[in-house]
Amino acid sequence: MLAHQTKAHYVPLDSVRGLAALCVVVHHFVGSDPLAAALPHRAWIDVAFFHNSWLFVDLFFVLSGIVISMSYVQSEFSEFDFKTFTLRRIARIYPLHIVMLFAFLAFRLMRLTLTELDLLHFSTNETADSPG
């Protein structure tokens, strides 16, 4: 029976990646209107750190690249094979892209069909300044 081989887990890198992702999520909420309505005083939101937390996107991607490449290098092959790395990445990411492509195409075709059958109407945003 083969023993399960454990891969090295980089807790500090994963922790910083998690904090970076959390900062990006907070950045998206800081600029949202519902949050501004819920917190009218905005005391903790107006901190410059939250307004500039979009910078953590770059940090997240750099750390993710390091963690992913280290996990492939330390796999059972013990040496880096670009072909294997590329095939494994495509096999992991590409199916999700295909599923989402078909989902959006189906949604778009449904929307076009409902619009053509006059079952779906889109309102135009007319301003109050227009004469009438």
Side-chain angles (χ1 to χ4, degrees):
M1 182 182 265
L2 295 173
H4 179 67
Q5 205 174 28
T6 59
K7 293 183 180 179
H9 186 68
Y10 303 100
V11 176
L13 289 180
D14 285 343
S15 301
V16 174
R17 277 177 62 206
L19 289 173
L22 185 63
C23 287
V24 172
V25 170
V26 168
H27 173 73
H28 286 290
F29 281 116
V30 165
S32 69
D33 292 330
L35 183 69
L39 301 170
H41 298 294
R42 300 176 56 101
W44 66 275
I45 296 174
D46 286 331
V47 177
F49 176 81
F50 291 121
H51 290 287
N52 295 319
S53 57
W54 59 271
L55 295 167
F56 284 96
V57 173
D58 294 335
L59 177 65
F60 176 80
F61 282 121
V62 167
L63 291 177
S64 294
I66 291 170
V67 169
I68 289 168
S69 62
M70 289 177 82
S71 70
Y72 281 113
V73 168
Q74 292 182 353
S75 65
E76 63 266 2
F77 299 110
S78 75
E79 65 181 40
F80 184 77
D81 181 22
F82 184 74
K83 182 180 176 183
T84 305
F85 172 79
T86 305
L87 288 175
R88 289 170 88 179
R89 292 299 295 163
I90 288 173
R92 185 175 181 178
I93 295 172
Y94 197 63
L96 177 64
H97 288 286
I98 293 295
V99 168
M100 293 308 297
L101 174 68
F102 284 126
F104 280 113
L105 283 175
F107 178 74
R108 182 66 176 165
L109 288 174
M110 182 180 65
R111 180 177 167 189
L112 288 173
T113 304
L114 292 175
T115 305
E116 288 295 320
L117 293 175
D118 206 25
L119 296 174
L120 185 65
H121 302 283
F122 291 100
S123 64
T124 59
N125 293 331
E126 305 247 349
T127 61
D129 297 333
S130 62

